[in-house]
Amino acid sequence: MRIALIGAGIVGVCTAYELAREGHELTVFEQRGSVAGQASFANAGLLAPELASPWPGPWMSEQHLQRLALQAPPWRLMARLDLAAWRWLLAWHRATRSSAWPAQGLAMHALARHSLERQRAWCAALKLEHEHRRGCLTLLRNDRDLVRARPGLKRLAELGARFELLDAAQCRKVEPGLVGETVPRAGIYLPDAEVGNGRQFAHELRLEAQRLGVTFRFQTAVRSLSPGRTPTLVARHVPADEPPASSFGVASPADGPPTQPQPLDDRVETFDAIVVCSGIEGDALLRAAGVRLPLRALHGYSVTAPLRHDEQHPDLGPRACVIDARHQVVISRIGQRVRVAGGVEVGGHPDRHDAVALEALYRVLHDWFPGAARVNQAQRWKGARPMLPDGLPAVGRSGAEGIWLNLGHGAHGWGLAAGSAQLIADLVAGRTPAVSAEPFSPLRLR
């Protein structure tokens, strides 16, 4: 089949590679100059199926609402939210009370576990290297945090996950860089979790996809879609000096021109199928094609800085990944850099950085790893996490003939990318997927 794929984030690149392995002829349309240039640019890089669950978990609702309130006082929050945002939050609130959540959580865990297995198989076969490390330690600051963690501990046990509940001394054996004045009450250690450089992985997999014949058209914006037995799209090349609106503070460099010269006028092209893997930009595109999804961008932040080198203290910074349970901030080691990621912002502008949210990241880093990073050289980033109210992605037939979806992964984009890519490939081929597709069907949102 001749397939058009829209969006070259981590999900889009994985989907293109998987479909190309099936023998399909792929053309990927990406409005930026490179892969992984938007929501996949500088995320936490955590791969932990044990922690993968729909965002509106029953024990998460109150905590996330508190985080929203802390980042913006009520009057400010009300001013920046439009009617659509309030409707989305209401739908999200209903989802937190849904009796379907336990089954949805199991479905997401199954997809995340399959995704990690699939990605590891790719890395072994293709010899991909993306600065990955094993292990994730969730730090609990006090007894109250430990009490709040009990539902999560129960879920880990029910999933059969390998984990250890550690005291403060054991936490410092796992992460010797925890030398600050902040002493953890306890820690939950997941030895099978991973952290790595998702953007580097996307670039390496893109090269493998090109070796299979995938064509990438960068700086190309898809302007409209038309469903049908042979769906069509209208695309236009966007010159490099006229980039579309960015959602992060520092623009990602283009890694070269498109794989073939592109005209500057609109082009109408016909395919056997179209797969939409784009972020929040895909919402308007799909609506015009008759596909309505309650997709919303929840913005998150990250700060990435070089680690200091000190022969007297060789263990500065994290060895792998540390999560501050109270603030839901992830501290990751990415090669010789440390990345601090977190925050939930509803209704903010993609190009405006919230000083309070960024300060919270620096504060958490200082609490656990004081002086470990050269913060004066830090790169700040803000990215949109396209999310649906029930927290699950939309993977499968869109309801419009010839148009498929693989989007809405929220904060779990990399963690679900390889698995949802194979899910799409199985559905397109008419095979029974290795993981049940029903919980992720876009038709559930009607």
Side-chain angles (χ1 to χ4, degrees):
M1 294 174 62
R2 290 187 67 249
I3 298 177
L5 192 147
I6 303 172
I10 187 65
V11 173
V13 173
C14 288
T15 304
Y17 175 74
E18 191 69 74
L19 288 170
R21 290 182 72 254
E22 296 278 322
H24 298 293
E25 181 184 340
L26 266 291
T27 302
V28 179
F29 296 83
E30 168 56 48
Q31 64 177 351
R32 297 201 62 81
S34 177
V35 301
Q38 298 190 65
S40 305
F41 183 71
N43 53 32
L46 178 61
L47 298 169
E50 304 91 339
L51 302 180
S53 62
W55 189 65
W59 61 81
M60 297 169 70
S61 175
E62 178 184 356
Q63 188 176 16
H64 280 300
L65 285 174
Q66 288 175 349
R67 287 164 61 201
L68 285 172
L70 285 172
Q71 288 181 23
W75 61 267
R76 221 175 120 198
L77 188 63
M78 292 181 68
R80 76 184 187 195
L81 296 185
D82 56 18
L83 181 59
W86 283 112
R87 286 175 175 166
W88 190 94
L89 283 172
L90 180 60
W92 167 76
H93 181 70
R94 285 197 295 263
T96 66
R97 305 295 190 265
S98 172
S99 60
W101 191 91
Q104 292 172 337
L106 289 174
M108 181 173 277
H109 169 73
L111 182 60
R113 184 178 57 195
H114 179 65
S115 186
L116 183 55
E117 292 170 354
R118 190 73 173 163
Q119 180 176 312
R120 285 174 175 170
W122 289 349
C123 290
L126 303 173
K127 297 180 171 54
L128 305 182
E129 178 58 50
H130 52 277
E131 299 179 312
H132 66 285
R133 290 169 177 257
R134 290 283 185 97
C136 176
L137 178 63
T138 298
L139 295 173
L140 311 173
R141 289 175 177 256
N142 51 33
D143 289 334
R144 186 178 182 186
D145 287 351
L146 185 56
V147 170
R148 284 180 170 176
R150 285 174 181 168
L153 290 169
K154 180 181 177 183
R155 182 172 186 265
L156 290 174
E158 291 172 346
L159 292 173
R162 286 206 307 154
F163 71 95
E164 300 174 54
L165 184 61
L166 309 179
D167 60 23
Q170 292 169 323
C171 287
R172 283 180 168 159
K173 285 185 179 179
V174 171
E175 287 288 354
L178 294 170
V179 295
E181 296 180 358
T182 306
V183 179
R185 169 65 177 82
I188 305 169
Y189 182 57
L190 300 173
D192 296 328
E194 284 190 17
V195 66
N197 189 333
R199 185 166 181 263
Q200 181 181 344
F201 174 81
H203 277 269
E204 292 180 351
L205 194 63
R206 168 223 168 165
L207 296 177
E208 297 298 331
Q210 286 181 306
R211 290 189 181 101
L212 294 175
V214 176
T215 298
F216 283 83
R217 294 190 188 171
F218 296 115
Q219 300 292 159
T220 303
V222 176
R223 300 166 68 87
S224 65
L225 301 175
S226 297
R229 293 186 62 183
T230 53
T232 62
L233 59 78
V234 177
R236 169 177 281 194
H237 179 61
V238 181
D241 59 347
E242 298 178 18
S246 169
S247 61
F248 36 80
V250 179
S252 63
D255 60 356
T259 53
Q260 61 186 52
Q262 297 293 311
L264 297 181
D265 56 344
D266 286 352
R267 294 183 62 185
V268 179
E269 300 185 57
T270 300
F271 296 89
D272 298 313
I274 296 174
V275 183
V276 181
C277 300
S278 56
I280 195 64
E281 300 84 1
D283 188 40
L285 196 65
L286 290 168
R287 284 176 180 271
V291 180
R292 300 181 67 86
L293 294 175
L295 198 64
R296 191 76 191 176
L298 273 65
H299 292 94
Y301 291 86
S302 75
V303 172
T304 306
L307 285 166
R308 295 183 184 277
H309 298 281
D310 188 339
E311 293 182 358
Q312 301 294 326
H313 303 282
D315 288 311
L316 286 176
R319 281 184 171 176
C321 179
V322 168
I323 300 176
D324 185 304
R326 181 185 302 176
H327 299 288
Q328 288 296 291
V329 169
V330 181
I331 306 174
S332 309
R333 187 184 184 104
I334 309 293
Q336 295 305 311
R337 303 174 303 285
V338 63
R339 177 167 295 161
V340 193
V344 179
E345 184 179 283
V346 180
H349 192 280
D351 294 327
R352 294 174 188 162
H353 288 194
D354 190 311
V356 175
L358 288 168
E359 177 58 32
L361 300 184
Y362 285 113
R363 186 169 59 250
V364 171
L365 175 63
H366 177 76
D367 283 349
W368 299 115
F369 300 102
R374 300 182 185 278
V375 294
N376 61 329
Q377 300 176 30
Q379 178 190 52
R380 299 179 299 172
W381 174 82
K382 179 179 181 179
R385 302 163 177 162
M387 193 176 297
L388 295 159
D390 63 4
L392 298 177
V395 185
R397 294 183 182 273
S398 69
E401 189 176 14
I403 297 178
W404 300 74
L405 305 181
N406 191 6
L407 45 73
H409 296 75
H412 299 288
W414 190 19
L416 301 176
S420 59
Q422 189 180 32
L423 188 57
I424 277 286
D426 287 338
L427 293 172
V428 169
R431 294 190 300 262
T432 300
V435 175
S436 175
E438 184 178 355
F440 310 104
S441 170
L443 303 183
R444 78 183 189 275
L445 299 165
R446 286 184 170 182

